Structure formats: C-alpha cells, structure tokens
Amino acid sequence: MRAAVMFGAGDVQVKEVPDARIDRPTDAVVRVTHAAICGSDLWRYGKMPPNPDGLRIGHEFIGVVEETGAEVTSVRRGDLVLAPFKWSDGTCEFCRDGLPNSCPDGGFWGGELDGGQGEAVRVPLADGTLLPLPMQPDDPRVPAVLALSDVLCTGHHAARAAQAGPGRTVAVVGDGAVGLCGVLAASRLGAERIIVLGRHTARTDLARRFGAVEVVPERGAAAVERVKELTGGHGAHAVLECVGTGAALRDALDMARPGGAVGYVGVPQDGEGVDVRRFYRRNVTLAGGVAPARAYAPELLPDVLAGRLDASAIFDRTVGLDGVPDGYKAMAAREALKVLVRP
C-alpha cells in the first residue's frame, strides 16, 4: 500500500510500505477515506533530523473497517469509524477515568507503524479506540467529524481546562486550527466574550465567524497589555494557550485576571519553563495537557452531526495522497490553514 513518509525536515514522500494487516486478535484494519495534516506534524516537519528509514505520519483519520481480529466486537466490516490521535484499550483505570491518552497499553499512530496519511491503518485495540459513525463516507458532514480526531477535542480540552463558560471573558492565544477550535469550544460552553490573538486575517476572520468578537494582532507584552485594556485592566477570566512555545504560555499566564485560569494544549516545542512567581499572587490556575480525544468525541459528536459545532471551515485545501508533500509545504508557508487528505 502507499503512505506518506517523513525522512527529515522538509522531506515528505509518498512511498510503498507494507500492507496494513491484522497482527493481533484485538486489531482492525481501516481503509482511510479522510485524513488531515496537523500543526503538530508541522513542528516535526520543520526540525526532524534526517532519517534514511523514514517515519510514517498522520494521526487524524476516518475510514471504513475492512477486517477485524477475532476478539473485536464493537465494529465490523463496512463500518465508518473515527480514530482519535492515540489508541487505547478502553478498559484500564485511566480510560475509565476519562484519560485514554494515559492508557498504559495505548500508543500514537505513525513512526514505524501505520500513520493516518496512507491508504490503510492497522488499528490496535480496536474496541477501545474506534468510534463508529452513523454516516457514509460521502456524507458532507465527514470533514466536521474528522476534526474530532484531534483539533476540535484539543480546543475543547483547552476551553474546559481554562474554565470557559457563561459570564466569562475568554482569550485564545493562537489562530491556528487548534486555536480556532478553541474559539468554537468556548462559544459552545457559553462564554460571554471571546478575544482571539492572531495576525493572519483569513484566520481571524474565521475566528469571528466561530464566535470571537475582538482580535488582538500584537504579540508579547503588547498583546498582554491590549487584552488588559479590553478587560478593564484586569485580564481575561479564561485563557487558552494553543501555540506550544514558552513565550505563548508566559503571555497567556500574564493576561489572565486574578482568580482566572489558563488551559494549555499547545504541544511544547522549546522546553522553556514558567516561573510560578509570575502568577502565584494572582491565584491563577494552570491546567491542560494532552486532550483525551476518545473520551470527548462521543460527547461532542451529536452537536457536530446536528451542525451546532462545525469546524469544517478549518480545512481550506484538499489533496489526494500524492498531494500530501505539497500539503505540508503549503501549511509550512502559511498558504493553507489545515489540509484535508482524501487517499
């Protein structure tokens, strides 16, 4: 079968790889119908050391079950299914507590294993991982549902961690796909006012469409001061950090009002720490991390199917499998926000 493989920074190729196949009785094989390129893929694309063997890539996908192992009971051949960005068994204490991303038997797609940016994927622990969908692959809502594999659940995680809700002003740091989904999530949770920090007009226009009412293009200390100006000098009740740099997290903490909260979900890139003295006296809560997408997806799916939660507009370019390398280039050059892949 064919799949996208990353061989180093800026080097993605579509190659022949071993066919996805059942290896254990708890596996399923899924033929990919829809996949995506993620901002976290882009971080690796920008700095991965050369690897002559290459790493398979992609962790956001929807597809049709082609085969199941003898112990799989929750899905069957022909089902359309959503795969979250990490597989999990669904039965361990962490899965039962709503943290499938911490499942000790779980793992991430890609690397030496199948990635979502390919023709098919072997899905370990299929019963705990795959979410059956009540639709067909040609349903126009599929791109909106695909966002639940990662970015929409991640935005929701940030909004929940930051305690977004009625009567609260929310600031969203970052105008990428996760930040835009954070705007959607905060709006769904009833936020009174949403401010987005970003400087790419097409993206901030989409943020307004998703529920933001103000845009702050400044960065650093100037952005913090602007958010405070917009909030009577106090800062935002809830701040969503959707970038992943130490600078973005520091700004997010600085623009939170006393008693506020910061939800951080940006994949950490520079390892820079945060001095707790920056927010200790203001009683600011810091929470977040990796989103438990498999736990959130069933909760959010009804709103997505009903059209009340529609992130499909983040996909502003569609490519076939052969177009994946160019999709990475377009996202790296900020010529595309998020690329939808139709293998």
Side-chain angles (χ1 to χ4, degrees), residues 84-89 100 103 105-110 113 123-125 129:
F85 61 81
K86 186 175 182 183
W87 71 79
S88 53
D89 62 23
C103 177
D105 293 323
F108 292 96
W109 312 109
L113 304 175
V123 178
L125 303 173
T129 301

Side-chain angles (χ1 to χ4, degrees), residues 21-29 67-75 122-128:
R21 61 180 181 82
I22 299 294
D23 184 57
R24 299 182 180 181
T26 52
D27 291 347
V29 172
E67 187 179 1
T68 59
E71 296 180 12
V72 175
T73 60
S74 65
V75 297
R122 177 179 76 87
V123 178
L125 303 173
D127 279 339

Side-chain angles (χ1 to χ4, degrees), residues 52-109:
D53 297 323
L55 298 175
R56 278 178 268 174
I57 46 179
H59 55 265
E60 302 166 287
F61 65 95
I62 282 174
V64 176
V65 176
E66 290 203 324
E67 187 179 1
T68 59
E71 296 180 12
V72 175
T73 60
S74 65
V75 297
R76 60 184 180 180
R77 181 180 175 86
D79 286 349
L80 188 70
V81 293
L82 170 78
F85 61 81
K86 186 175 182 183
W87 71 79
S88 53
D89 62 23
T91 59
C92 74
E93 60 181 294
F94 296 105
C95 288
R96 294 196 305 270
D97 286 344
L99 284 172
N101 47 298
S102 296
C103 177
D105 293 323
F108 292 96
W109 312 109

Side-chain angles (χ1 to χ4, degrees), residues 14 21 31 54 57 89-90 98 102 146 160 169 182 192 202 213 245 268 298 327:
V14 177
R21 61 180 181 82
R31 175 176 52 82
I57 46 179
D89 62 23
S102 296
L146 177 62
R160 280 193 50 174
T169 294
E192 181 174 297
V213 295
T245 63

